């Protein structure tokens, strides 16, 4: 059994649209091959519209939902033509998260899959999170099914994106949860220097850790809560950004990097993890990775750039394949919902 699928991922840090075309094959177990992958940077106007989507009126948000769906479809068509792709069984689209409040039973990822379908003429699977939230789950993290079936050679998988999240085997089941904000905070601080991000963590490296702030950050209630648990932009706006005032930017970067490293290494050690795969944009932050290495004895594996950059888009493509086969693609042990299930709306 072999299937080719395209996965689309747009993260909270809005670096761009990740497109991954991959082959999936199942014999004794699932294997994959990334055939083509690319990040399409957002033009300034699209980045701004997506970033500010949280403030739109209901009518404006519905308009953006449709428009962004057609935009995604156009980008997929360009990708297909550029790389002269052959067989494509389906497109799986994560969409762009505007609201994520699972405790109130809703989450919203815009980018209407029906518009992608109209634009490309291909089957599209989208809105992977809503069903889980309605079933009492966090709607996140979703990638653990891919970690379990495609990356089982590692004790744990850590993604360093807008937020850091981890998945690992524990007592015979896959558990997963968000650990702490990463690029959603670091990038916002770097923007005060007119940089999109702090390359290699070079600015953070020059700063001094502000001990009082570090203590405040580490004392936040979220970190004491049991898993499963997930984070959203709203939480950062309420709990993190108000603390980041009246301190030099380089010192804030240094302190927040230390905070991330502390929280991640704590989770690694508490779960007795021997080796861990790092992926996501934050993996390029060499200062952050150094700080984590200093705090843990676990072997940290940095894979090739294709896996670092496109693992999430790859796994959403895989989740689409599982959904098309009516197989489980969301684990209750990871999201906290009432049962394992097969999620995603098929257009």
């Amino acid at each position: 059994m072999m299937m080719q699928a395209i996965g689309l991922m747009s993260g909270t840090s809005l670096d761009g649209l990740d497109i991954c075309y991959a082959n999936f094959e199942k014999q004794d177990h699932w294997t994959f091959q990334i055939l083509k992958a690319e990040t399409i940077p957002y033009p300034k106007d699209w980045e701004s519209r997506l970033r500010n989507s949280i403030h739109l009126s209901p009518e404006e948000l519905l308009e953006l939902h449709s428009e962004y769906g057609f935009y995604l479809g156009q980008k997929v068509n360009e990708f297909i033509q550029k790389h002269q792709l052959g067989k494509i069984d389906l497109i799986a689209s994560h969409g762009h998260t505007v609201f994520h409040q699972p405790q109130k039973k809703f989450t919203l990822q815009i980018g209407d899959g029906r518009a992608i379908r109209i634009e490309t003429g291909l089957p599209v699977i989208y809105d992977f999170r809503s069903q889980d939230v309605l079933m009492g789950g966090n709607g996140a993290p979703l990638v653990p099914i891919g970690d379990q079936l495609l990356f089982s050679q590692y004790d744990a998988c850590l993604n360093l994106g807008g937020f850091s999240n981890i998945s690992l085997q524990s007592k015979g089941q896959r558990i997963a949860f968000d650990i702490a904000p990463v690029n959603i905070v670091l990038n916002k601080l770097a923007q005060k220097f007119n940089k999109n991000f702090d390359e290699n963590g070079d600015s953070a490296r020059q700063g001094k850790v502000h001990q009082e702030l570090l203590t405040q950050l580490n004392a936040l209630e979220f970190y004491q809560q049991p898993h499963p648990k997930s984070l959203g932009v709203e939480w950062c706006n309420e709990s993190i950004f108000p603390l980041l005032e009246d301190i030099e930017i380089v010192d804030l970067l240094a302190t927040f990097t230390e905070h991330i490293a502390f929280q991640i290494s704590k989770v690694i050690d508490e779960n007795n993890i021997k080796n861990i795969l790092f992926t996501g944009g934050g993996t390029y932050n060499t200062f952050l990775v150094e700080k984590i290495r200093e705090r843990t004895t676990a072997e940290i594996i940095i894979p090739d750039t294709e896996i670092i950059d496109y693992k999430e888009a790859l796994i959403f493509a895989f989740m689409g394949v599982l959904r098309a086969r009516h197989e489980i693609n969301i684990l209750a042990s990871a999201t906290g919902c009432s049962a394992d299930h097969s999620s995603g709306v098929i257009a």
Side-chain angles (χ1 to χ4, degrees), residues 8-20:
L8 304 179
M9 180 69 203
S10 174
T12 39
S13 43
L14 284 169
D15 302 334
L17 173 67
D18 293 339
I19 308 184
C20 179

Side-chain angles (χ1 to χ4, degrees), residues 59-104:
E59 292 91 342
E60 290 166 333
L61 191 56
L62 285 168
E63 184 182 1
L64 184 62
H65 178 49
S66 299
E67 258 188 83
Y68 183 53
F70 284 112
Y71 174 84
L72 292 174
Q74 288 157 13
K75 292 300 151 194
V76 170
N77 282 341
E78 288 167 18
F79 178 80
I80 291 168
Q81 286 155 12
K82 176 179 174 180
H83 298 292
Q84 299 291 290
L85 302 187
K87 177 171 169 274
I88 302 164
D89 291 300
L90 61 91
I91 296 165
S93 176
H94 172 269
H96 175 73
T97 300
V98 181
F99 299 112
H100 183 67
Q101 296 188 35
Q103 68 284 3
K104 296 182 182 172

Side-chain angles (χ1 to χ4, degrees), residues 89-122:
D89 291 300
L90 61 91
I91 296 165
S93 176
H94 172 269
H96 175 73
T97 300
V98 181
F99 299 112
H100 183 67
Q101 296 188 35
Q103 68 284 3
K104 296 182 182 172
K105 292 277 194 289
F106 72 84
T107 183
L108 177 67
Q109 286 71 44
I110 59 169
D112 197 322
R114 294 163 299 189
I116 304 173
R117 166 91 205 220
I118 289 163
E119 197 66 40
T120 61
L122 292 163

